[in-house]
Amino acid sequence: MNPLIAQVSTRIYGWDLAVFRHIHSATPPSSAMLHLARALAEGPLLITAGLLGLMMVRPGWGMRGKALKVSAAAVAALVLNAGIGLVWDRARPFVTGAGHAWMSHAATGSFPSDHLTVQWVVAGTLMLDRRSRRWGVLIALMGLPMAWARVYLGIHYPSDMLGAVIVALLLTLFVDAWFPRHAQADLSGHGAERQAKPTNAPRQESSDTVSARTH
């Protein structure tokens, strides 16, 4: 390995480990703290999934196309993360002995965090649309305590969260460019406008009839 790259890698890992030890609980947390951290580690993503489900089944919201677009981004995020894991199968902190796992978790690759990647790619894609921007901001904010909790519980490093931010940002921009906003018209309820157009035909016919009678 190039000496410069090795030096930079060592410094980054040193920073990562220092921040991890600052956040992670090295001693068993209290029962209340443990329940809170576990709820924050899993709860935000469940809320986000529920919101996307409502966007799909509530036609009155006119957001079905946006929900499908966001879901495509989330699936792409998981696929990309799986690819990254094949290239760099980073062991989790509780596997390397850097910390303890205060919640049950498989010893899969740590980088980047799937939970946070999905949370923030959903938030980012929603924020690109003015109609759903407030939802996107809310979901992004919910990702912050999730990131803290997953490091606190010893199942991720801080850099896993940074990697999730980068992947989510790239996928948000890619999916927005790949699926133009106007292409969602038929899926988001705007197709109803087309169904309303035939109602103008009788009016026009009625107008022509009146004109013919006048002459």
Side-chain angles (χ1 to χ4, degrees):
M1 181 182 290
N2 185 287
L4 178 60
I5 295 177
Q7 184 178 4
V8 171
S9 300
T10 301
R11 289 187 177 182
I12 291 176
Y13 179 73
W15 165 86
D16 198 22
L17 191 58
V19 176
F20 171 79
R21 288 173 175 169
H22 181 73
I23 298 174
H24 174 62
S25 177
T27 58
S30 66
S31 178
M33 193 64 182
L34 189 58
H35 281 86
L36 174 63
R38 287 175 176 175
L40 292 176
E42 301 285 357
L45 193 57
L46 295 176
I47 295 173
T48 299
L51 175 61
L52 288 179
L54 286 175
M55 290 171 64
M56 288 187 181
V57 302
R58 294 292 295 272
W61 290 10
M63 298 293 288
R64 185 168 180 263
K66 171 59 67 175
L68 292 173
K69 180 179 179 181
V70 170
S71 299
V75 171
L78 293 176
V79 172
L80 182 56
N81 280 2
I84 294 174
L86 293 176
V87 176
W88 184 29
D89 187 16
R90 185 187 196 186
R92 294 182 182 270
F94 63 86
V95 175
T96 63
H100 303 279
W102 301 122
M103 70 177 292
S104 178
H105 201 289
T108 53
S110 176
F111 183 89
S113 167
D114 285 340
H115 280 70
L116 207 64
T117 301
V118 171
Q119 183 77 7
W120 276 338
V121 80
V122 168
T125 310
L126 288 175
M127 282 192 284
L128 292 172
D129 191 322
R130 180 179 54 83
R131 298 173 302 156
S132 58
R133 189 162 296 152
R134 288 180 296 177
W135 291 112
V137 171
L138 176 61
I139 290 172
L141 291 176
M142 288 194 299
L144 296 177
M146 176 195 284
W148 168 84
R150 299 186 77 80
V151 176
Y152 177 83
L153 293 169
I155 58 177
H156 276 293
Y157 291 100
S159 60
D160 298 338
M161 305 305 161
L162 180 59
V165 173
I166 295 173
V167 172
L169 176 61
L170 293 176
L171 278 173
T172 296
L173 297 176
F174 175 78
V175 175
D176 185 62
W178 188 262
F179 296 102
R181 297 175 188 177
H182 62 77
Q184 301 176 38
D186 291 336
L187 295 176
S188 60
H190 296 297
E193 296 178 2
R194 298 180 181 179
Q195 297 177 1
K197 288 184 178 181
T199 58
N200 295 329
R203 295 179 183 177
Q204 183 64 37
E205 181 181 346
S206 174
S207 175
D208 292 343
T209 303
V210 172
S211 176
R213 290 177 180 177
T214 303
H215 293 291

